[in-house]
């Protein structure tokens, strides 16, 4: 294990230090006194565990391919931008535009998230990106979604569960929402369904891992029912053009 | 079935006297115009796009493709396309698509600019006898250089130069993705780029493994769909380009329909086979110059500070936007004029949005100079470069290099028929149908494209020689060596050139 003190260090220098530690084969890295530094873990490859104390800045884990990051507090915008694999665990709340174009790996957030989360997430045969939000989410949740799994739990929340334009332009993947979904909030491309047996299995698998990360009980979460949101068509804009 | 009231554009005809019934036209046509009727070739002329593949492959010169004489009555105001599109839209309710750059008769400024030459008072140079320097470096240039002496008395740079892309001549191949063009077409670009010491650009379709050997001649692109983007991809080429816009369709996204996504394209884009590949209109992580800066530096962090290019479409406010792009940290600003090509775009967008590259280039170069940041980024001008004369004029207007797309495709057989969006290109360029793409031999056509670039290289040297200069650097932004003909004073002012005779 190695500790790096981020206090007063510019992001470029901080990332160089972390990179050097990763390249030396360090498997456990703890970053102390992080205070808004951008790009932590951006483009990192491999299997290192990095624990972050303090609030990291934007573009955390952008393009990341492998490592696991645990953030002990809140985090900011653009986490897991176009991430390929690995895991990001945020113990507090997180900001806007999380998991943009994310293709693989997991993003687990204990608290609330902002706008435009999970936009254009995509998957393929080998990869299923997963974002699980413990609290509430803002507008444009899952917009243009092309693949992967988005889960919204609304645990211990009092405010509205989710904002407007839920799943607008969705053409792949699935969104699970704990509780009822107001059809008026959804884009026209989305259908709201009850879960079948396969869905339950997928959801349980995802949530089991999530519960482990935060010391939660799966039974507690599953007490309330879920709805599934899927695209009504894989070709939402199929009839738009004249040939 | 209801017969469309939009008449065919062309009449495909076969001279039955000459035809030997070899059926080559049937095999060659990607659009199924021809079929075998038992004793003769049948023609469905509604499908003909005048790509001329059949004409070139008919051994008897029996085929003639005529413009349909029975089109609508000529009308100086209601063009054939106006009427045809209305009929089509009335029949389908859809948006008519098109391919290639706009063919609308807007003024072409390149054709109203003339290049200077030397006579008597300063001698011209013979490029066949004297060296001519076309080498170009793309990237940030320092505003001043510090030099220091080493122990053995030699001079060296005191500070590290920002990273540069080295080009043997100021031309690059414009981004064209695997998916919009075939893998063989990309291989043609890659082999020619390598042979000519220049670069090609993947477009936003990912990088197929067959192109790995050409890494030092490749720029990889990141666009709103983020297809095929991971750390390995970002580090694969000599630079990374963020695509904000495209000249042919500024402000709108891309949309590759599922049926054009076979296995290899899907693998390269890292998406499932047969689903639509939708590139949203904006990148939803970029709503401001600050956001753009954030992505530029995320890419730099990921690539250990490779040069980052930002491609924007030429729009009304392009100068201010380009200034913002440079301040956001871009090493290269790629400006795509409204004549720029496309694999598919709504024709209403292609023909009516954006501005020409000539205006945009002059405005951007001026603006960056006025703000004292011209050295901070190189400018690539693209969108309708047709010849080495256009290249020279663009460079005199302020470009560091130009991008060519359509010209490169023409060397592969393209006749600019404009039907790329159908995915049936008979020349094997803008199609994924294996029987069509197999026609495009990367080696044969790689040589042809290399020939074109070398021919333009010779022409550029001749132009420089006539100008009495021996380096492309001396032409860069040198608008004093251009004159306008038939241009109004406003346009001359924007271009920063004098009228001919002054
Ligand atoms: S290619 Fe020419 S000669 Fe052969 S069948 Fe067609 S029209 Fe006749
Ligand atoms: S690439 Fe093919 S379809 Fe497109 S304009 Fe050229 S010949 Fe026509």
């Amino acid at each position: 294990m190695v500790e790096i003190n981020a206090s007063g260090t510019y992001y470029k220098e901080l990332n160089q230090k972390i990179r050097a530690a990763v390249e030396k084969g360090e498997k456990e890295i703890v970053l102390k006194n992080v205070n808004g530094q951008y790009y932590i873990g951006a483009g990192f490859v491999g299997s290192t565990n990095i624990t972050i104390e303090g609030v990291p800045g934007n573009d955390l884990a952008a393009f990341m391919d492998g490592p696991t990051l645990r953030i002990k507090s809140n985090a900011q915008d653009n986490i897991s931008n176009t991430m390929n694999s690995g895991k990001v665990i945020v113990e507090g709340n997180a900001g806007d535009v999380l998991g943009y174009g994310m293709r693989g790996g997991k993003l687990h957030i204990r608290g609330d998230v902002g706008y435009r989360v999970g936009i254009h997430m995509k998957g393929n045969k080998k990869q299923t990106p997963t974002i699980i939000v413990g609290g509430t989410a803002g507008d444009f949740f899952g917009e243009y979604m092309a693949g992967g799994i988005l889960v919204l739990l609304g645990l211990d929340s009092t405010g509205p569960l989710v904002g407007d334009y839920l799943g607008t332009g969705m053409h792949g993947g699935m969104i699970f929402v704990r509780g009822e979904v107001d059809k008026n909030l959804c884009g026209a491309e989305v259908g709201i369904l009850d879960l079948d047996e396969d869905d339950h299995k997928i959801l349980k698998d995802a949530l089991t891992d999530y519960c482990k990360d935060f010391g939660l009980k799966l039974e507690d979460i599953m007490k309330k029912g879920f709805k599934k949101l899927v695209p009504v068509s894989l070709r939402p804009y199929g009839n738009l053009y004249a040939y | 079935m209801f017969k469309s009231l939009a008449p065919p554009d062309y009449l495909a005809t076969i001279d039955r006297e000459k035809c030997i019934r070899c059926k080559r036209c049937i095999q060659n046509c990607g659009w199924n115009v021809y079929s075998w009727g038992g004793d003769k070739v049948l023609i469905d002329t509604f499908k003909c796009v005048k790509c001329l593949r059949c004409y070139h492959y008919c051994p008897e010169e029996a085929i003639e493709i005529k413009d349909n004489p029975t089109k609508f009555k000529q009308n100086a105001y209601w063009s054939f396309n106006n009427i045809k599109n209305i009929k089509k839209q009335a029949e389908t309710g859809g948006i008519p698509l098109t391919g290639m750059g706009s063919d609308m008769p807007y003024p072409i400024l390149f054709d109203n600019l003339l290049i200077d030459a030397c006579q008597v008072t300063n001698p011209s140079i013979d490029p066949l006898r004297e060296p001519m320097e076309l080498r170009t470096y793309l990237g940030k240039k320092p505003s001043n250089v510090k030099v220091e002496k080493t122990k053995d008395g030699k001079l060296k740079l005191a500070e590290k130069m920002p990273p540069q892309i080295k080009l043997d001549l100021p031309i690059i191949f414009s981004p064209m993705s695997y998916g919009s063009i075939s893998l063989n077409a990309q291989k043609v670009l890659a082999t020619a780029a390598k042979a000519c010491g220049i670069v090609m650009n993947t477009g936003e379709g990912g990088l197929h493994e067959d192109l790995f050997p050409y890494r030092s001649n490749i720029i990889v692109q990141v666009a709103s769909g983020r297809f095929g983007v991971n750390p390995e991809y970002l580090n694969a080429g000599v630079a990374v380009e963020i695509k904000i816009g495209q000249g042919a369709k500024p402000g709108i996204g891309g949309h590759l329909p599922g049926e054009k996504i076979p296995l290899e394209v899907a693998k390269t884009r890292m998406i499932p086979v047969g689903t639509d590949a939708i590139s949203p209109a904006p990148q939803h992580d970029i709503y401001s110059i600050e956001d753009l800066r954030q992505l530029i530096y995320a890419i730099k962090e990921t690539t250990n500070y490779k040069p980052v290019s930002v491609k924007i479409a030429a729009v009304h406010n392009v100068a201010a936007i380009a200034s913002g792009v440079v301040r956001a940290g871009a090493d290269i600003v790629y400006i795509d004029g409204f004549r720029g090509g496309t694999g598919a775009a709504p024709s209403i967008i292609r023909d009516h949005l954006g501005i020409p590259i000539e205006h945009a280039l002059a405005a951007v170069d001026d603006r960056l100079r006025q703000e004292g940041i011209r050295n901070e980024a190189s400018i690539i001008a693209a969108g309708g470069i047709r010849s080495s004369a256009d290249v020279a004029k663009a460079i005199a207007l302020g470009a560091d290099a130009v991008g060519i797309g359509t010209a490169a495709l023409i060397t592969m057989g393209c006749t600019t028929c404009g039907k790329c969006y159908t995915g049936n290109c008979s020349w094997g360029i803008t199609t994924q149908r294996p029987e069509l793409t197999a026609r495009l031999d990367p080696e044969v056509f790689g040589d042809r494209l290399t020939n074109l670039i070398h021919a333009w290289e010779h022409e550029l040297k001749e132009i420089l020689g006539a100008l009495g200069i021996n380096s492309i650097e001396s032409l860069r932004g040198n608008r004093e060596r251009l004159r306008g003909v038939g241009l109004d004073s406003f346009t001359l002012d924007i271009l920063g050139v004098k009228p001919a005779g002054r």
Side-chain angles (χ1 to χ4, degrees), chain B residues 380-411:
Chain B
I380 298 178
I385 302 290
R386 300 157 299 173
S387 67
S388 60
D390 288 352
V391 179
K393 290 170 190 176
I395 286 176
L397 284 175
D400 288 277
V402 301
I404 61 166
T406 304
L409 299 189
I410 290 173
T411 68

Side-chain angles (χ1 to χ4, degrees), chain B residues 14 19-25 41 57-60 62-63:
Chain B
I14 294 178
C19 176
I20 54 167
R21 297 173 172 78
C22 69
K23 302 185 193 165
R24 275 198 212 165
C25 46
V41 176
Y57 281 79
C58 171
E60 300 299 317
I63 293 177

Side-chain angles (χ1 to χ4, degrees), chain B residues 407-449:
Chain B
L409 299 189
I410 290 173
T411 68
M412 302 181 207
C414 167
T415 51
T416 71
C417 75
K419 299 288 170 179
C420 322
Y421 61 94
T422 62
N424 294 327
C425 177
S426 299
W427 297 95
I429 304 167
T430 50
T431 175
Q432 303 304 327
R433 284 166 53 190
E435 74 279 16
L436 299 178
T437 60
R439 296 172 179 179
L440 192 63
D441 184 324
E443 245 174 72
V444 172
F445 287 93
D447 283 349
R448 290 200 186 179
L449 182 50

Side-chain angles (χ1 to χ4, degrees), chain A residues 39 81 103 116 120 122 235, chain B residues 225 229 276 278 284-285:
Chain A
Y39 312 122
N81 191 345
R103 184 185 311 109
R116 293 187 262 149
H120 214 312
K122 45 173 77 68
R235 306 279 319 272
Chain B
V229 177
D276 283 10
I278 295 177
H284 284 283
D285 52 351

Side-chain angles (χ1 to χ4, degrees), chain A residues 161-239:
Chain A
L161 181 58
V162 65
D164 220 338
Y165 304 103
L166 174 57
T168 308
M170 188 175 178
H171 54 290
M174 20 186 174
I175 304 177
F176 294 107
V177 179
R178 189 164 163 272
E180 289 303 314
V181 179
D182 180 355
K183 177 71 194 156
N184 294 322
L185 295 178
C186 298
E189 298 79 11
V190 175
I192 306 171
L193 302 176
D194 288 321
L195 277 60
D196 62 23
E197 222 169 276
D198 289 345
D199 299 333
H200 264 116
K201 194 180 162 326
I202 293 170
L203 181 63
K204 263 196 183 147
D205 283 353
L207 284 176
T208 307
D209 192 44
Y210 180 83
C211 288
K212 229 169 52 203
D213 283 340
F214 297 115
L216 297 166
K217 280 209 188 88
L218 183 64
E219 309 85 78
D220 293 347
I221 293 178
M222 297 307 278
K223 262 182 208 148
K224 202 166 171 182
F226 279 82
K227 286 281 181 216
K228 177 175 81 160
L229 277 64
V230 286
V232 279
S233 156
L234 298 179
R235 306 279 319 272
Y237 307 118
N239 293 325

Side-chain angles (χ1 to χ4, degrees), chain A residues 111-133:
Chain A
D112 300 336
V113 298
Y115 291 149
R116 293 187 262 149
V117 171
I119 293 190
H120 214 312
M121 262 170 83
K122 45 173 77 68
N124 53 49
K125 240 190 207 155
K126 291 182 215 144
Q127 292 171 292
T128 310
T130 308
I131 300 180
I132 304 179
V133 177

Side-chain angles (χ1 to χ4, degrees), chain A residues 75-92:
Chain A
Q76 299 191 354
D77 299 340
N78 283 75
I79 304 172
S80 301
N81 191 345
T82 322
M83 185 164 112
N84 201 45
S85 72
K87 191 176 193 182
V88 179
I89 305 157
V90 180
E91 295 188 2

